[in-house]
Amino acid sequence: MGQPVNKTTIYRLLDRHQWRKVVPRPSHPKAKQSEQSAFKKTLKKKLNNS
């Protein structure tokens, strides 16, 4: 619109419409990717067998 608007005005508008900034979930700094992928593989097998 060409008019300067304060950031708080924008955030209030987004809150009013229940919009939020979509961000990825944080990961733990000590998480081990190899253990997570192994768990995912065994979980799929367990779910398929039941």
Side-chain angles (χ1 to χ4, degrees), residues 10-20:
I10 300 300
Y11 287 117
R12 282 195 333 248
L13 173 74
L14 293 175
D15 187 46
R16 186 182 316 138
H17 292 282
Q18 297 175 347
W19 291 353
R20 60 183 174 83

Side-chain angles (χ1 to χ4, degrees), residues 1-27:
M1 296 288 206
Q3 298 292 324
V5 178
N6 198 336
K7 285 183 183 179
T8 57
T9 305
I10 300 300
Y11 287 117
R12 282 195 333 248
L13 173 74
L14 293 175
D15 187 46
R16 186 182 316 138
H17 292 282
Q18 297 175 347
W19 291 353
R20 60 183 174 83
K21 182 178 178 183
V22 179
V23 294
R25 292 184 68 182
S27 61

Side-chain angles (χ1 to χ4, degrees), residues 25-44:
R25 292 184 68 182
S27 61
H28 195 276
K30 293 184 180 180
K32 296 180 182 174
Q33 290 289 60
S34 59
E35 289 183 17
Q36 289 178 351
S37 61
F39 175 77
K40 287 179 184 178
K41 290 176 185 176
T42 58
L43 181 66
K44 287 180 183 177

